[in-house]
Amino acid sequence: MAESNFKTTVLSSLLWKGMQTGAVYGIQLIVQILLARLLLPSDYGIIALIIVFITISQCFVNSGLNTALIQKKEIDDTDTSSVFYISLLIAAVFYTILFLTAPAISAFYNEPLIIPVLRVLGLTLFFGAINSIQNAVIARNFQFKKLFGCSLLSTSASGVIGISMAFLGYGVWALAGQQLSAIIASCIVMGFVVKWRPKLLFSIKKVKGLFSFGWKLLVSGMIDIVYNNLSVLIVGKAFSTTMLGYYSKGNEYPNYIANGLNGTIQAVMLPAYAKHQDDKYTVKQIMRRALKTSSFVVFPAMAMLAAAAEPLVTLLLTDKWLMCVPFLQIFCCVYALWPIHTVNLQAINGIGRSDVFLKLEIVKKIIGVTILIITIPIGIYAIAIGMIFTGVIGTFINAYPNKKLLDYSFLQQWKDLMPALLISLIMAGVVYSVLFLELSDIMSLLIQIPLGILVYFGLARLFKLESFTYITDTLKEYLPKKNKSN
């Protein structure tokens, strides 16, 4: 693929992935707001506990093989079919484990509803196995346009189901129904648009080849998932499902926004890195662009959300969720660091160094667990604040190998993202100052949001931030071409 064509492909993929993510996350955000108004914090606490066990099991089902399919230079039907059958087998094993251990988990947390809900939601493992391969096929071919309609339909359908069940008084089952229907709908819709079907082909040699790369990602993913959800398990046991509901809801919205913005860029970057994995200079340039662009959009989003958290929660979720505000603000700080984490890790995976990825995860999690153990006796807010310290330390650790691998040091990386960080902090200060006017919640937001946007982009233009110039120039260059081609 010629360089100009490759750039056009990446930009097109970013556009469609961005549209898909924006539409899907927008719908999900509306759905979650409506569900939060209809349900209780304790409902979210129960589902948060269950999701931990589902997510851990899903990590084994994927086994890093879906990422290996994206990273591998060439794949064929034997590769995808072999991964499909192995994934289904692992899904069956872990569903059986979840089914049998559900009573023990329920007894440990003293929540009877965990048994039936966990057994039903465990079915997502089978559909997740199918969906991961569908997504891998799309990602390695940069066919993100196809995801747009699929995601829109599946998210809308599952949202209607979840809201309807909540309105009818099904409580925690509304959240379970929404999640299960989302993955089922996604598999069905993508089955019509993705030109991939499993065939009666299987090669243990192919699986071993993919697993040689994927097992390190499996272990890394497992360490990451267990660590990230360890606080959920601890909060659910040491405090209550209601407090866990506040904790989880405070994490939810920053996660949605950061993952939506940063995830859009990184989903396209992994196959981009893989395409140029033998050209370290090009990988570094792609990495720098990804870091600058993602930090330019994630920093202000997190800053705005943290500054306007209180009127936003009161207006959208009602007063019953006010206790989640401090958690929301803390997690905004945690997720603001995502660009530097994901850019470094995606680049390491993209050049095939999953061994380095695994070592980094082990070191970070040892530090993270140590901080978690220190903060547990202090209280639930200390646990959340400890995650900020863990995230800051993690930025050093994730960036360290790329000094040698790609000649892109930690100091260079922070130099690239510092302009966006500084003007985001200034914008956050201006937005937060509006609260001192003691206006109504809706009036505060009507002033805060436009003012924040105006201040941020005004400063970006005033100081001629390179990311701002790049994005605007790219849009001017690309959009006319897109219109002509249509």
Side-chain angles (χ1 to χ4, degrees), residues 5-262:
N5 289 336
F6 180 76
K7 180 181 178 181
T8 300
T9 300
V10 171
L11 289 174
S12 177
S13 298
L14 280 170
L15 177 63
W16 282 106
K17 183 64 178 176
M19 290 172 62
Q20 176 229 336
T21 303
V24 169
Y25 277 69
I27 293 172
Q28 287 180 340
L29 193 60
I30 294 170
V31 169
Q32 289 305 319
I33 289 170
L34 293 174
L35 287 174
R37 295 177 72 94
L38 293 168
L39 302 175
L40 299 173
S42 58
D43 295 325
Y44 281 88
I46 293 171
I47 209 72
L49 287 171
I50 291 171
I51 291 300
V52 172
F53 298 99
I54 300 292
T55 305
I56 291 172
S57 301
Q58 189 65 59
C59 183
F60 279 99
V61 173
N62 291 340
S63 304
L65 296 177
N66 58 331
T67 304
L69 285 175
I70 298 173
Q71 195 275 338
K72 189 177 180 183
K73 288 185 177 180
E74 300 291 338
I75 64 169
D76 55 26
D77 289 335
T78 305
D79 288 295
T80 53
S81 296
S82 299
V83 170
F84 171 72
Y85 295 122
I86 286 290
S87 298
L88 282 184
L89 176 62
I90 298 172
V93 170
F94 276 88
Y95 179 75
T96 302
I97 293 172
L98 290 177
F99 191 93
L100 296 176
T101 58
I105 296 171
S106 174
F108 183 76
Y109 287 101
N110 195 28
E111 286 290 350
L113 270 174
I114 285 179
I115 298 174
V117 178
L118 179 57
R119 286 174 171 174
V120 170
L121 264 186
L123 296 172
T124 59
L125 297 179
F126 297 100
F127 298 99
I130 301 169
N131 199 232
S132 67
I133 299 176
Q134 293 172 324
N135 280 300
V137 171
I138 281 178
R140 68 174 289 111
N141 294 309
F142 294 93
Q143 296 173 326
F144 293 97
K145 182 177 179 179
K146 293 183 177 181
L147 279 177
F148 182 72
C150 296
S151 300
L152 207 60
L153 286 172
S154 59
T155 304
S156 301
S158 64
V160 170
I161 291 171
I163 293 170
S164 299
M165 292 179 69
F167 185 78
L168 293 172
Y170 282 95
V172 69
W173 282 106
L175 297 171
Q178 189 238 344
Q179 296 209 19
L180 181 59
S181 60
I183 189 69
I184 293 174
S186 179
C187 286
I188 294 173
V189 176
M190 288 183 70
F192 287 103
V193 299
V194 178
K195 293 181 180 179
W196 172 81
R197 297 291 183 276
K199 297 184 178 180
L200 295 177
L201 299 169
F202 185 83
S203 169
I204 193 66
K205 183 179 179 181
K206 293 274 192 180
V207 172
K208 286 181 177 179
L210 291 167
F211 195 67
S212 65
F213 175 85
W215 78 267
K216 304 180 191 74
L217 297 182
L218 168 61
V219 176
S220 301
M222 179 54 54
I223 293 171
D224 195 50
I225 288 170
V226 171
Y227 169 74
N228 287 338
N229 290 283
L230 194 57
S231 60
V232 172
L233 298 175
I234 291 170
V235 171
K237 180 63 178 176
F239 298 92
S240 66
T241 51
T242 298
M243 282 306 296
L244 178 57
Y246 293 128
Y247 182 92
S248 299
K249 183 60 67 176
N251 175 71
E252 183 178 288
Y253 295 113
N255 185 314
Y256 267 142
I257 296 172
N259 194 41
L261 296 173
N262 188 59

